[in-house]
Amino acid sequence: MFSFVDNAGITRVKTVPMHRLSRAAQYGVGASPTFDVFSFDDVMNPGRYVSGPDGDLRVVPDLGRLVELVCQPGWAWAPADKYTQEGERHPGCQRHFAARQVEAAGRAGLRLSMAFETEWALGVDDSAFVPVVTGPGYGIIRLGQVADYACDLVDALERQGVSVEQFHPEYALAQLELSVAPADPVAAADDAVLVRHTIRQVSLRHGWRASLAPCIDPDGAGSGAHVHLSLHDERGPLLTGGEGPYGLRPVGEAFLAGVLRELPALVAVGAGNPASFLRLLPSRWAGAWQCWGRETREAALRLITGVAGTERWAANAEVKCLDATGNPYLVVGSVIAAGLAGVAEELRLPPEIHGDPAGFDEARRTTAGVARLPATAAEAAERLAESKVLAEAMGPQLHDSLLTVRRAEAERYGRTGAVELVELTRWRF
């Protein structure tokens, strides 16, 4: 099974029998270029570069990440890159975009580690959502109801080479959360794909169904896919040990300032589905505000310094305004591109915020430089269209295809009611 993630955040696959693996690794497996412009509802949306049935791409597995699936016996999985029939890199390949940004960071003397948090809601295997998990948020009652399931899930991931750091019941309806060890950015995105598939498969084996959609209850909190990052140069960590805010070194601060500046466009990349905006609301710890702060869970950019004595290995930053409708390769690549632009321009962070900006009056938010992130899919798509940083980093074809998808989803579902939108997306992610 070779997977690639489209611009709507849906993981697509091609499969071959094991005896065909070596040939597939050499020549790839065919896939239509139109996958670049699929929206989450499987509609093909013509763009400037991809608009019809012509052409073919080759999906080439990365055998360095090939793993036998414990969660799906008899199968193995590998992430894939996309090439043209002439053997050149496809300019719309999201995984290669992520790799290019890692290379750009390396040329700047920087090394990043990243990891995705995964949140999901666990329900009965049915078209409607009937929660499996009940009881207090974060409570031991919830954990007791899924204890065997959690053991099976963690065991499957560990045997598939993914190191699990935490598992716990979360706050929202029937919600659980899992955190894994950081890795280089492309590997972190690979891990996110594998973790999500493993969650779904282990859930099915228990007779349940996992939803990673951003919202299953319009009146409650939703599920995110926050990304954590740390940054190093040849002297060591850049998010501690300096004289900037909370010990940030100048390059580390500039990187975070670049990410902060591009957050409105990053919403379209990592949470641009219309259903995402049922989650991305103030006062729900979703990161709906363009601001930063130390351990400030309402801020879209949260600085985590670690406890005293752990800063050199624990200091990291969390981008919170993301969910599972975002392609993880686009997310890591775009975050890196935004940060590198901040480094190149020697940006500095504005003053941090404390508390919930929803409680600030307009004058206080203006003075603090706090702005609401896009509140609709259409608004987020336009912020992406305006981002010169991301357009240059992605290149014209990838940028246009992503923008085509996000605009199409916004146009078709921008006026859809919350309940219907939840039903449309509940089992798509």
Side-chain angles (χ1 to χ4, degrees):
M1 177 168 68
F2 314 141
S3 73
F4 58 97
V5 186
D6 68 18
N7 289 316
I10 301 294
T11 301
R12 312 284 180 175
V13 295
K14 292 284 183 169
T15 72
V16 298
M18 187 60 73
H19 68 84
R20 297 277 296 177
L21 179 60
S22 60
R23 179 175 288 271
Q26 183 175 4
Y27 299 110
V29 178
S32 170
T34 56
F35 281 117
D36 286 357
V37 290
F38 267 49
S39 45
F40 79 93
D41 53 7
D42 292 345
V43 173
M44 291 175 278
N45 308 279
R48 183 180 305 169
Y49 297 91
V50 180
S51 60
D54 298 339
D56 194 50
L57 297 173
R58 309 306 294 177
V59 176
V60 179
D62 180 353
L63 296 189
R65 279 303 308 255
L66 182 69
V67 60
E68 184 177 355
L69 290 176
V70 176
C71 69
Q72 190 173 320
W75 291 80
W77 167 86
D81 294 292
K82 289 181 279 188
Y83 290 79
T84 68
Q85 288 180 302
E86 291 71 39
E88 299 174 351
R89 291 279 189 176
H90 172 48
C93 178
Q94 299 89 347
R95 191 169 186 261
H96 184 54
F97 164 65
R100 287 193 290 109
Q101 298 314 303
V102 172
E103 292 168 359
R107 291 193 296 272
L110 303 176
R111 176 177 60 83
L112 287 104
S113 294
M114 290 184 165
F116 285 85
E117 294 180 13
T118 303
E119 296 177 339
W120 70 101
L122 196 59
V124 174
D125 187 7
D126 189 72
S127 58
F129 188 83
V130 179
V132 167
V133 183
T134 58
Y138 311 105
I140 197 169
I141 293 173
R142 284 195 186 194
L143 181 61
Q145 295 165 357
V146 295
D148 292 341
Y149 165 81
C151 288
D152 289 348
L153 176 58
V154 171
D155 177 66
L157 288 169
E158 293 279 353
R159 290 166 62 190
Q160 291 169 180
V162 178
S163 178
V164 176
E165 295 204 331
Q166 288 190 44
F167 174 95
H168 60 268
E170 251 282 357
Y171 179 79
L173 178 65
Q175 189 181 50
L176 304 170
E177 180 179 318
L178 184 139
S179 301
V180 302
D184 78 79
V186 176
D190 290 339
D191 286 347
V193 174
L194 181 56
V195 166
R196 294 170 189 179
H197 182 66
T198 303
I199 287 169
R200 295 187 189 99
Q201 292 305 109
V202 173
S203 299
L204 288 173
R205 289 169 62 182
H206 279 257
W208 300 331
R209 199 170 184 184
S211 174
L212 287 88
C215 181
I216 60 166
D217 175 16
D219 296 323
S223 291
H226 311 163
V227 68
H228 291 254
L229 66 95
S230 62
L231 187 67
H232 296 75
D233 67 7
E234 61 182 6
R235 293 171 50 204
L238 289 163
L239 302 186
T240 189
E243 297 184 359
Y246 299 108
L248 292 174
R249 290 171 56 194
V251 171
E253 181 180 354
F255 190 96
L256 296 185
V259 174
L260 180 65
R261 182 180 62 181
E262 295 300 321
L263 282 174
L266 289 171
V267 169
V269 176
N273 186 287
S276 298
F277 301 90
L278 301 176
R279 168 191 171 268
L280 195 61
L281 296 173
S283 304
R284 292 190 179 178
W285 294 10
W289 300 98
Q290 187 180 10
C291 56
W292 79 280
R294 180 185 183 230
E295 299 292 6
T296 304
R297 287 173 171 81
E298 277 296 319
L301 182 61
R302 172 189 174 207
L303 180 64
I304 303 164
T305 57
V307 300
T310 70
E311 295 91 345
R312 284 190 62 81
W313 56 265
N316 71 95
E318 177 187 27
V319 183
K320 293 177 61 66
C321 53
L322 308 170
D323 62 45
T325 69
N327 179 315
Y329 302 102
L330 290 181
V331 167
V332 300
S334 297
V335 168
I336 295 170
L340 291 179
V343 172
E345 298 176 43
E346 299 183 343
L347 298 182
R348 290 293 172 261
L349 288 167
E352 67 172 320
I353 65 111
H354 301 280
D356 184 352
F360 301 176
D361 60 31
E362 194 62 36
R364 183 180 174 189
R365 281 200 291 268
T366 300
T367 300
V370 176
R372 175 76 189 275
L373 288 174
T376 68
E379 183 186 353
E382 292 317 301
R383 300 294 82 77
L384 175 62
E386 295 165 359
S387 173
K388 295 179 180 178
V389 168
L390 296 188
E392 181 178 351
M394 290 182 183
Q397 184 162 337
L398 178 56
H399 186 259
D400 180 75
S401 295
L402 174 59
L403 192 56
T404 295
V405 169
R406 290 313 196 195
R407 282 175 166 165
E409 292 175 337
E411 182 177 351
R412 274 200 297 282
Y413 300 105
R415 295 180 177 84
T416 303
V419 172
E420 183 181 356
L421 198 51
V422 166
E423 292 176 351
L424 287 168
T425 55
R426 179 186 293 130
W427 303 122
R428 303 297 287 180
F429 298 97

